[in-house]
Amino acid sequence: MTCTVLVWAAVLIALPLIVLFWLTESQQQRCRRLRRNGWSQQRIADHLRISRSTVKRRLTAA
């Protein structure tokens, strides 16, 4: 019982932080994160509803 309560407490604390991170993530950061996770440039473009050339620019930007 105590373990379950601790798990739920951790989730309730972490969830707002995860949402905040997701909402403040830039398009460039999102492209890079998806690419690190093995997504193709075309799949990223489709997911973010941008062109593949925009994804390529975001990935190669300094």
Side-chain angles (χ1 to χ4, degrees):
M1 178 79 176
T2 305
C3 188
T4 304
V5 172
L6 291 175
V7 169
W8 276 108
V11 168
L12 291 175
I13 292 169
L15 189 60
L17 296 173
I18 293 169
V19 170
L20 181 64
F21 172 74
W22 181 78
L23 289 174
T24 59
E25 186 178 38
S26 71
Q27 190 178 69
Q28 182 177 13
Q29 291 169 323
R30 197 168 290 174
C31 285
R32 289 182 175 181
R33 179 176 47 82
L34 294 172
R35 188 67 172 152
R36 277 193 313 268
N37 289 334
W39 288 37
S40 68
Q41 288 183 9
Q42 187 61 56
R43 185 176 176 198
I44 295 170
D46 294 342
H47 179 72
L48 298 178
R49 295 185 177 149
I50 58 178
S51 70
R52 193 191 62 75
S53 60
T54 299
V55 171
K56 184 177 180 180
R57 280 197 311 272
R58 298 291 184 258
L59 293 173
T60 58

